[in-house]
Amino acid sequence: MKKLQACLFAISALTLAVPASAQFAKAEDAVKYRQSALFVMQQNFSRVAGMAAGKIPFDAKVAADSAAVAEFTSKLPWAGFGPGSDKPESKAKPEIWANKAKFDDYATKMQTEMAKLAVATKSGNLDSIKLAVNATGGTCKSCHDDFRAK
Ligand code: ASC
């Protein structure tokens, strides 16, 4: 019974990790949450990008596993950009909160391209992976250009 409870608790904790309406105990926690999610996503995306660029030996399974993690983590950071989370020091520009619709649009585009990258890695076709890496990287860059301080 204890095990079942622990298991159900773990499952609900996982489910609760995601919603965009999430509240955090402190604004600093929201910043840490979004930075952590973006870091895990970036580590996994750049591994696939490195393979697409020929900088890392291509391994179809590692690429697919990495892209799957990048796709999942691409859903997480946005909960950490809620009201008040502009206050702690970070590279996130105040323009994010002033132009939330534009920021959200970039976030959606990135998630769409990341999902296509995950599909491409499942095909194992390096040419489609390269195209998807470029499209995804473009969505990272355009948002950074507008909304991330140097
Ligand atoms: C990365 C990373 C980014 C994007 C961007 C793509 O690996 O850290 O910010 O890709 O450089 O243009």
Side-chain angles (χ1 to χ4, degrees):
M1 195 58 200
K2 278 257 162 63
K3 268 188 187 156
L4 179 64
Q5 272 175 355
C7 192
L8 288 175
F9 178 77
I11 291 168
S12 58
L14 264 181
T15 317
L16 292 171
V18 184
S21 58
Q23 297 292 312
F24 295 91
K26 309 189 283 271
E28 287 76 12
D29 287 348
V31 174
K32 204 189 283 184
Y33 182 90
R34 73 195 189 216
Q35 289 176 341
S36 305
L38 287 163
F39 178 72
V40 175
M41 183 186 79
Q42 187 277 337
Q43 291 291 300
N44 284 277
F45 172 72
S46 69
R47 189 174 307 120
V48 182
M51 289 184 196
K55 291 178 188 158
I56 302 174
F58 179 57
D59 180 322
K61 176 159 181 7
V62 174
D65 289 349
S66 300
V69 176
E71 181 188 5
F72 182 77
T73 48
S74 76
K75 301 170 195 202
L76 304 182
W78 324 113
F81 287 93
S85 64
D86 53 334
K87 297 288 177 288
E89 183 64 32
S90 83
K91 285 187 190 165
K93 287 188 181 173
E95 282 83 349
I96 292 172
W97 289 268
N99 302 283
K100 204 65 199 322
K102 189 177 179 192
F103 179 75
D104 290 345
D105 189 45
Y106 278 139
T108 302
K109 285 192 174 124
M110 186 277 279
Q111 291 170 81
T112 302
E113 296 305 329
M114 198 68 88
K116 289 194 207 163
L117 176 61
V119 172
T121 58
K122 279 183 200 148
S123 79
N125 180 299
L126 197 51
D127 285 331
S128 25
I129 295 173
K130 280 180 193 169
L131 284 173
V133 160
N134 288 340
T136 309
T139 65
C140 303
K141 186 177 184 312
S142 44
C143 190
H144 290 167
D145 287 350
D146 285 358
F147 291 122
R148 184 174 69 166
K150 294 286 174 287

